[in-house]
Amino acid sequence: MLLKSDAINEKVVDSLLTRFLRYVKLDTQSDPESKTSPSTAKQFELAKMLKLELEDMGIVDVHLSNCCYLTGVLLSNSDKIKERVGIIAHLDTSPDAPGNGVSPQIIKSYNGKDIVLPKGDQQVIDVKECSELKACIGHTIITSDGTTLLGADNKAGVAIIMESIKFLLNNPQIKHGDIVVLFTPDEEVGRGTEKIDLNKFAVDFAYTVDGGLPPVINKETFSANSCEIRVKGRDIHPGAAKSIMINSLRAISEIISRLPIDVSPERTENREPFIHPHTLSATVVEANLKMILRDFEESGLLAQEKLIKNIIVDVEKKFPGVMIECEIKKSYRNMLSVVEKNNVVTDRLERAVRGAGLVPVWKPIRGGTDGAGLSAMGIPTPNIFTGGANFHSKREWASLDCMALSLKTVIGVLSVEDAN
Ligand SMILES: [Zn+2]
């Protein structure tokens, strides 16, 4: 049975909005410093709310793990469909902007002008900085009040998945196989797939609903490493320091100054790689620098590692006696090779985007998703747009009209056209 594009009516979109507003009000920020799973207990609040809602809908095998992974299965309604499809969003919001006390404002029939956020330090969503807003004239736009992030990343995805399940239950003429829903904690701190139980999430392939604006879909993420450089020097009274003091602070500054400035996040886009020093602590005796390394190619990451190690060798020569340690850790890898192995997965997504009346555009993500982790475990997992933008900031916004297009796409990707 074909999914008619007008099947998602005003009532469904209203329900999607109500659901989204209910979820964003819960503070679910994750914490990069925490060693526990989940990194913050408050993520359980949303997980428990969703668990009850899934159970109320009649979803089976609903399970919330001790580490805050919520799974459930919408059983197949067709004997002919054998594949099990996973659909995923993350529960947590970014620690990069305040996440407590989200108070959304709703702008109906958006007029295409800059959006002034009413509270806080009078933030403005500038149309010049966010050209996508131009495509949203006439839409219903949702923002925060300017004091917090909105949390569309990823509660738009959570709301869209929940609404898609409700829609499929209300429209049994649309045929689908087993659908396994998964909500993960701690995606924003890079630990979203760390404690996934693949027995609970046994699927042939999956989709994350964690992208930006339609019609952009993703099958490629960065490959990512983290890098920590620790410098040890020697301290003494500055008045008697000649030939004795080794100043870690100067050595670490030298290292930073030798990193190529054009290979930085602020000067790169599209498929360009970057090295990003983001946290520094330094005294004379010791210094500690944290960086992230990003490239779409593995060979590029190796070249970055070599560059950093060569800089360290030079700096050690310039500061005799200094001790410099460099630790590089793998974060995640580009999922492209796994996703492209099976074009059924990407074809199905393209078909669903077209079914929502859009022309699909594949773009690489300058970041990672839970899909990168799942693809590394052998489950190809491309990413679907949510209808939100300006993530991780107080200027985050979402278009309800674009969220509805995402909902159409998700319903399309979960169902099968020719099962009858
Ligand atoms: Zn996200």
Side-chain angles (χ1 to χ4, degrees):
M1 179 101 185
L2 276 168
L3 172 65
K4 289 199 187 80
S5 57
D6 61 355
I8 294 170
N9 55 29
E10 219 171 294
K11 208 172 136 208
V12 175
V13 177
D14 279 352
S15 169
L16 177 63
L17 175 61
T18 309
R19 195 181 280 286
F20 175 65
L21 296 177
R22 182 161 71 240
Y23 301 157
V24 295
K25 282 180 185 150
L26 294 180
D27 173 9
T28 58
Q29 269 185 322
S30 46
D31 175 2
E33 302 302 326
S34 166
K35 300 278 182 259
T36 58
S37 289
S39 69
T40 55
K42 57 192 175 184
Q43 295 178 70
F44 271 115
E45 254 181 82
L46 177 57
K48 284 178 185 162
M49 181 190 270
L50 296 171
K51 181 172 184 276
L52 288 178
E53 290 181 9
L54 286 171
E55 284 166 348
D56 278 353
M57 282 191 225
I59 295 302
V60 301
D61 286 342
V62 179
H63 181 259
L64 178 58
S65 81
N66 292 337
C67 299
C68 202
Y69 287 76
L70 178 62
T71 45
V73 183
L74 172 60
L75 290 174
S76 172
N77 61 4
S78 164
D79 296 341
K80 293 181 189 154
I81 309 170
K82 297 292 168 225
E83 75 269 7
R84 283 166 71 88
V85 184
I87 191 84
I88 306 156
H90 60 88
L91 299 161
D92 63 321
T93 54
S94 166
D96 295 344
N100 187 20
V102 173
S103 173
Q105 66 161 343
I106 296 165
I107 299 157
K108 297 229 160 141
S109 306
Y110 169 60
N111 61 11
K113 297 196 176 134
D114 289 352
I115 299 173
V116 179
L117 302 177
K119 283 197 184 159
D121 39 7
Q122 292 289 305
Q123 303 245 359
V124 175
I125 306 176
D126 191 330
V127 180
K128 282 197 290 303
E129 265 178 35
C130 200
S131 54
E132 296 99 331
L133 268 174
K134 288 235 174 68
C136 296
I137 292 173
H139 290 194
T140 297
I141 302 288
I142 312 154
T143 70
S144 77
D145 64 2
T147 61
T148 65
L149 47 66
L150 173 63
D153 179 11
N154 192 211
K155 285 160 187 166
V158 174
I160 287 160
I161 291 172
M162 294 296 284
E163 204 59 42
S164 71
I165 298 298
K166 182 175 151 195
F167 188 88
L168 290 172
L169 283 163
N170 288 342
N171 291 273
Q173 78 281 10
I174 301 171
K175 297 301 171 194
H176 57 82
D178 283 354
I179 295 167
V180 188
V181 176
L182 168 64
F183 296 117
T184 60
D186 295 332
E187 192 271 351
E188 297 291 4
V189 293
R191 295 170 54 201
T193 55
E194 201 178 83
K195 304 273 180 180
I196 282 185
D197 178 353
L198 288 185
N199 294 318
K200 292 268 181 264
F201 192 65
V203 295
D204 297 300
F205 51 89
Y207 301 90
T208 48
V209 188
D210 192 17
L213 292 164
V216 175
I217 46 180
N218 324 95
K219 57 184 167 185
E220 189 170 10
T221 57
F222 263 141
S223 281
N225 284 341
S226 66
C227 173
E228 187 168 350
I229 298 179
R230 291 179 285 267
V231 180
K232 286 215 167 15
R234 194 190 302 140
D235 202 4
I236 187 171
H237 189 287
K242 187 160 186 200
S243 304
I244 300 170
M245 179 185 280
I246 302 167
N247 192 339
S248 304
L249 199 149
R250 284 191 185 276
I252 202 84
S253 304
E254 183 79 22
I255 291 172
I256 296 168
S257 71
R258 290 190 190 203
L259 295 170
I261 187 76
D262 287 334
V263 189
S264 58
E266 58 271 37
R267 294 199 185 188
T268 51
E269 60 183 351
N270 301 323
R271 293 186 57 85
E272 293 170 331
F274 64 69
I275 296 175
H276 177 43
H278 59 87
T279 306
L280 172 68
S281 64
T283 61
V284 170
V285 185
E286 60 183 6
N288 189 301
L289 173 66
K290 289 183 179 164
M291 305 197 279
I292 56 171
L293 316 179
R294 299 289 186 266
D295 200 302
F296 287 96
E297 309 295 335
E298 189 77 27
S299 58
L301 281 183
L302 286 170
Q304 290 185 349
E305 184 171 344
K306 203 169 158 203
L307 173 84
I308 291 165
K309 291 195 166 155
N310 285 342
I311 291 173
I312 289 174
V313 169
D314 272 3
V315 172
E316 278 172 336
K317 279 185 202 146
K318 192 166 173 181
F319 295 86
V322 75
M323 280 173 30
I324 306 178
E325 270 174 30
C326 173
E327 185 181 15
I328 291 175
K329 281 192 192 155
K330 180 174 169 177
S331 303
Y332 56 86
R333 288 296 175 262
N334 191 343
M335 64 184 175
L336 184 69
S337 60
V338 178
V339 172
E340 279 197 333
K341 243 184 236 166
N342 183 354
N343 57 14
V344 166
V345 183
T346 46
D347 288 353
R348 192 176 170 120
L349 177 50
E350 286 189 11
R351 186 206 79 202
V353 175
R354 288 206 178 86
L358 302 164
V359 178
V361 175
W362 290 105
K363 273 197 185 166
I365 312 178
R366 291 178 65 76
T369 62
D370 280 338
L374 280 164
S375 296
M377 295 174 204
I379 301 170
T381 309
N383 187 35
I384 303 173
F385 48 81
T386 60
N390 277 2
F391 295 151
H392 301 195
S393 82
K394 294 177 188 171
R395 299 178 310 284
E396 188 182 7
W397 59 274
S399 152
L400 181 60
D401 305 63
C402 293
M403 285 169 63
L405 291 171
S406 174
L407 175 61
K408 279 185 192 175
T409 303
V410 169
I411 293 165
V413 94
L414 294 177
S415 58
V416 170
E417 273 182 330
D418 49 5
N420 286 335

